[in-house]
Amino acid sequence: DIQMTQSPSFLSASVGDRVTINCKASQNINKYLNWYQQKLGEAPKRLIYNTNNLQTGIPSRFSGSGSGTDYTLTISSLQPEDFATYFCLQHNSFPFTFGSGTKLEIK
Amino acid sequence: EVQLVESGEGLVQPGSSMKLSCVASGFTFSNYGMNWIRQAPKKGLEWIALIYYDSSSKYYADSVKGRFTISRDNSKNTLYLEMNSLRSEDTAMYYCAKSRLFDYWGQGVMVTVSS
């Protein structure tokens, strides 16, 4: 199975900050990497698919990059509504696997 | 608007069975594969099953293989997860998600396995 190591687990930041969240795969996942935002009691929302494709309706302050085994989600300027939990998903090969999540909190 | 609504939430005893449903709307259900994913309390997400758009192929995580069955009824726009021989470690929030690209998810239903 492909292991997805997500970091950091917790992130404290302020409105307006630029933040990055990382996912490292245990093997090449060929850019089949999605990023999600989840708020308490809500369905996970896809932000980015296949490494760097912005989901329709998601603000352009969210971006993704990476290749091979290393992937990054960047939020260029944090807004109050961005404080949530973020996780990555590799869908390159079965079983699909998730990062452990990053909880983004207000500093 | 794409909507996925799970149902079948509940508390069951170890060794028993349970069936979850996920009703889809806002897209042509019969054109897309569908997934089940779960998240145990204070744990990470775990993909557990995928079914192709036409039910021709099904894939399972090792943790549920042989106990859980994914199925669908395209005439009812509904995805199912039949869970047998339930264990305490199956206690989790269960989500359905659309397509191999996991583009839309439901809000999830809680399954608790406890005596």
Side-chain angles (χ1 to χ4, degrees), chain A residues 34 36 38 41-44 46 49-50 55 87 89 91-96 98-100, chain B residues 35 37 39 44-47 50 52 59-62 95 100-107:
Chain A
N34 295 352
Y36 296 85
Q38 187 175 23
E42 296 184 8
R46 191 176 71 170
Y49 64 96
N50 295 346
Q55 176 76 12
F87 60 88
L89 160 68
H91 57 99
N92 178 66
S93 58
F94 293 108
F96 305 135
F98 294 86
S100 54
Chain B
N35 301 273
I37 304 103
Q39 185 169 28
L45 289 150
E46 178 188 20
W47 168 83
L50 165 72
Y52 276 19
Y59 298 88
Y60 297 93
D62 285 346
Y95 299 93
R100 170 104 184 220
L101 289 178
F102 295 81
D103 47 356
Y104 293 94
W105 295 47
Q107 287 196 292

Side-chain angles (χ1 to χ4, degrees), chain A residues 36-105:
Chain A
Y36 296 85
Q37 178 192 70
Q38 187 175 23
K39 296 181 180 179
L40 203 61
E42 296 184 8
K45 182 192 300 183
R46 191 176 71 170
L47 305 172
I48 301 285
Y49 64 96
N50 295 346
T51 295
N52 56 9
N53 296 280
L54 191 66
Q55 176 76 12
T56 302
I58 299 299
S60 59
R61 64 180 179 273
F62 291 93
S63 64
S65 62
S67 63
T69 61
D70 293 294
Y71 298 84
T72 299
L73 172 71
T74 299
I75 310 172
S76 59
S77 178
L78 275 173
Q79 299 302 300
E81 60 268 30
D82 299 337
F83 292 94
T85 296
Y86 294 84
F87 60 88
C88 62
L89 160 68
Q90 73 79 17
H91 57 99
N92 178 66
S93 58
F94 293 108
F96 305 135
T97 46
F98 294 86
S100 54
T102 296
K103 187 171 183 181
L104 179 53
E105 299 179 327

Side-chain angles (χ1 to χ4, degrees), chain A residues 5-18:
Chain A
T5 302
Q6 185 170 342
S7 62
S9 299
F10 296 94
L11 185 53
S12 184
S14 301
V15 172
D17 284 354
R18 177 185 179 92

Side-chain angles (χ1 to χ4, degrees), chain B residues 18-20 36 49 51 58 60 64-72 79-84:
Chain B
M18 195 171 190
K19 189 170 185 176
L20 304 181
W36 286 101
I51 185 169
K58 302 175 185 182
Y60 297 93
V64 305
K65 202 174 294 183
R67 298 189 301 123
F68 289 13
T69 301
I70 189 171
S71 63
R72 63 192 296 160
L79 174 73
Y80 301 101
L81 184 69
E82 182 139 26
M83 304 182 291
N84 297 319

